Amino acid sequence: MLVVAGSFEVDPARRDEFVESRKAAMTISRGEKGCHEYVFAPDPIDPGRVVLFERWESPEDLAAHLSAMRARSAAAGEPASPPVPVISSEVLQYDISGSGPVGGR
């Protein structure tokens, strides 16, 4: 299992527009093989922050997703600048060897 987690800083006045612009990608990604979770969500405390959370069955499934995402961007012709500029971002991948209920062992 792989988890991809991160955050994006955008203009607070355009945060909802940023999340809305990711809805089609979320829908497509959730339908891909091995995707258990894929969401961009506004941080309820920080008005300029959007959180990304993904869960993938395997490294191969994540690699296929990233490849498909790049292919879609290339086919659509990436715009010179994104509709909502990202001020900063950090997205990390975590390899999870096990899971269970919180607090339980």
Side-chain angles (χ1 to χ4, degrees), residues 26-103:
M26 285 188 270
T27 300
I28 292 167
S29 298
R30 288 178 181 189
E32 292 176 339
K33 178 183 178 295
C35 181
H36 293 279
E37 186 78 40
Y38 194 101
V39 65
F40 282 91
D43 182 314
I45 295 172
D46 184 339
R49 185 171 184 255
V50 175
V51 177
L52 170 66
F53 182 79
E54 307 174 28
R55 277 190 310 130
W56 293 92
E57 187 65 33
S58 71
E60 296 79 17
D61 293 332
L62 177 57
H65 160 71
L66 295 171
S67 179
M69 204 170 65
R70 284 189 288 272
R72 281 192 302 274
S73 292
E78 295 217 6
S81 62
V84 178
V86 173
I87 297 165
S88 67
S89 66
E90 179 181 57
V91 178
L92 299 172
Q93 172 183 315
Y94 302 89
D95 186 2
I96 308 301
S97 62
S99 64
V102 173

